[in-house]
């Protein structure tokens, strides 16, 4: 990863220099991790991918890996699905698969890129609760990228609003108000109020 | 029919069928699950272009066919990455380029063009010991690759981006799969022929995919369907004096249709 300008530091070091060492400490869930319906892989198979990179080439996954994968599945509540074909999972279950994969890797930072997209409201809440639970239990640093301001997980420490590639606003959740959002999105206050509705500000 | 087994040409053909079915069955699973099945068309036509260029320049046409198809298979990945387009687009571009070269060369060849056309039709009954040896080596190489990197291959079938983020050498694996696919296709051109080999890359794994949810079973069924198709092609073409490649393709298509009929409702599979 090379920045367009400036200096990039992860864990106090330039990631371009330390490469793989950092990769093992950082988890990533992509915006679109849709699993193709006909894929001949089980839920267990796709979650194992996280540990595969950790184990390295020429090595099989061992008992420790299996234990980590099964624990992660139980943690997100999909252990009973472990032998199911991965392509038949619902959107919410697919998200849980991705979360289990990153937990099993025992990472320190997880980047979640708009993971609530394309989910129904119940699943969105469920995933949010799961993220809060994992955050409290594992004490990970979670970076949660979202546009859904009315669905934020509990326990957020800091909000950073980006506009045109720059930090526009930064603060605690209770400091965020409709005036800041109006300026951030450049749209009328009324429309925003209707959108965020239940959002306590 | 058993006395046929005493003829060395028939033995060669039989071994050739098994090797072609196995090799193409495995790379078929790769290209189908990676969503780039047309790689077979591009590579086989690159081989044809290579053979034509070989005939024109006086170099060994088979060797040139292999060189061309390997160059085509290693170009697909980088062309896709550099242009930022889907690999299928770069496959299409490479396909049209090699077809252009092949037709240009065909127009320039004076005299008979049978040698070039043999690679397009292929004939399982005229395989030599040397053909068998080279195809065995390449089949062994892909089996070895599968044994060594089975775990990583599985990861990139799931999701290439996720595999890379998890620390798997995703580009190395992806490019190797493309390269090995090119290798297998170019060395099986004698058996099945460039025009038809595509069907043997796509039909057996697709039929297998309809019947199973398990990757290992998909590999096995795909190889089995490939071998059955080749054996049928061999036997029917011998007894009825029809082109073997054509029979192989028709049989493999029938296997796909049967698999479709056997598949349960709601996408239910056997195992």
């Amino acid at each position: 990863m090379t920045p367009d300008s400036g200096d990039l530091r992860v864990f106090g070091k330039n990631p371009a220099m330390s490469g793989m060492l950092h990769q093992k400490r950082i988890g990533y869930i992509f915006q679109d991790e849709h699993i193709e319906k006909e894929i001949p892989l089980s839920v267990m198979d796709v979650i194992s991918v996280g540990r595969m990179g950790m184990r390295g080439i020429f090595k099989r996954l061992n008992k420790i890996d299996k234990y980590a994968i099964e624990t992660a599945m139980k943690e997100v509540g999909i252990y009973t699905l472990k032998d199911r074909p991965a392509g038949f999972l619902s959107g919410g279950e697919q998200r849980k698969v991705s979360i289990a994969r990153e937990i099993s890797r025992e990472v320190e930072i997880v980047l979640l890129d708009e993971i609530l997209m394309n989910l129904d409201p119940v699943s969105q809440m469920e995933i949010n609760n799961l993220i809060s639970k994992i955050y409290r239990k594992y004490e990970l640093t979670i970076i949660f990228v979202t546009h859904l301001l009315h669905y934020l997980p509990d326990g957020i420490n800091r909000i950073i609003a980006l506009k045109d590639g720059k930090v526009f606003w930064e603060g605690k959740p209770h400091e965020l108000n409709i005036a800041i959002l109006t300026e951030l999105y450049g749209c009328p206050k009324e429309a925003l109020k209707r959108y965020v509705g239940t959002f306590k500000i | 029919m058993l006395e046929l087994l005493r003829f060395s040409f028939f033995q060669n053909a039989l071994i050739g069928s098994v090797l072609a079915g196995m090799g193409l069955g495995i790379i078929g699973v790769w290209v189908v699950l990676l969503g780039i099945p047309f790689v077979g068309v591009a590579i086989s036509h690159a081989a044809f272009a290579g053979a034509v260029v070989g005939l024109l320049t006086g170099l060994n046409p088979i060797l040139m066919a292999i060189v061309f198809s390997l160059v085509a298979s290693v170009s697909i990945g980088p062309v896709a990455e550099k242009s930022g387009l889907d690999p299928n687009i770069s496959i299409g571009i490479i396909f049209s380029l090699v077809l252009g070269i092949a037709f240009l060369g065909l127009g320039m060849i004076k005299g008979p063009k049978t040698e070039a056309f043999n690679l397009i039709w292929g004939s399982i009954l005229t395989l030599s010991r040397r053909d068998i040896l080279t195809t065995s080596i390449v089949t062994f190489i892909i089996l070895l690759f599968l044994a060594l990197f089975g775990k990583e291959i599985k990861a990139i079938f799931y999701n290439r981006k996720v595999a890379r983020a998890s620390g798997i050498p995703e580009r190395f694996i992806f490019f190797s799969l493309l390269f090995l696919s090119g290798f297998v296709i170019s060395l099986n051109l004698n058996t099945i022929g460039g025009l038809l080999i595509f069907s043997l890359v796509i039909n057996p794994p697709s039929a297998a995919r309809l019947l199973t949810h398990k990757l290992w079973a998909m590999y096995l069924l795909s190889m089995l369907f490939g071998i059955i198709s080749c054996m049928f092609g061999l036997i029917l073409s011998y007894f009825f004096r029809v082109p073997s490649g054509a029979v192989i393709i028709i049989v493999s298509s029938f296997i796909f249709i049967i698999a479709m009929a056997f598949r349960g409702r709601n996408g239910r599979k056997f195992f």
Side-chain angles (χ1 to χ4, degrees), chain A residues 23 38 40 45 53 56 59, chain B residues 151 154 164 166 213 263 269:
Chain A
Q23 204 165 17
E38 296 286 345
D45 284 333
K59 288 186 193 111
Chain B
K151 165 165 87 32
K154 203 190 227 182
R164 195 190 300 190
S166 306
H213 289 301
R263 184 193 199 188
K269 301 181 186 184

Side-chain angles (χ1 to χ4, degrees), chain A residues 99-177:
Chain A
I99 294 168
R101 181 190 71 225
E102 297 308 323
I103 296 176
S104 76
R105 289 179 64 204
E106 295 161 26
V107 289
E108 293 164 49
I109 300 179
V110 194
L111 291 149
L112 306 178
D113 187 4
E114 295 188 38
I115 64 159
L116 302 181
M117 294 295 271
N118 303 321
L119 293 183
D120 62 84
V122 177
S123 303
Q124 287 183 343
M125 264 185 290
E126 214 181 322
I127 297 294
N128 268 350
N129 292 339
L130 187 61
I131 291 165
S132 305
K133 183 182 127 188
I134 286 158
Y135 168 67
R136 276 190 291 268
K137 184 161 180 184
Y138 293 90
E139 296 177 336
L140 300 165
T141 301
I142 297 180
I143 300 171
F144 187 85
V145 179
T146 188
H147 291 298
L148 303 172
L149 298 170
H150 51 306
Y151 277 128
L152 293 178
D154 289 334
I156 293 177
N157 294 324
R158 192 150 62 125
I159 292 178
I160 299 173
L162 298 174
K163 191 178 186 179
D164 303 326
K166 290 199 176 79
V167 175
F168 173 80
W169 181 83
E170 193 179 339
K172 298 266 174 203
H174 68 267
E175 293 165 354
L176 188 64
N177 59 41

Side-chain angles (χ1 to χ4, degrees), chain B residues 8-9 12-13 16-17 123-129 131-132 190-191:
Chain B
S8 75
F9 82 91
N12 287 349
S17 300
S123 173
I124 206 159
L125 290 170
T126 56
L127 292 178
S128 66
R129 281 278 158 192
D131 291 332
I132 297 296
N190 287 333
T191 320

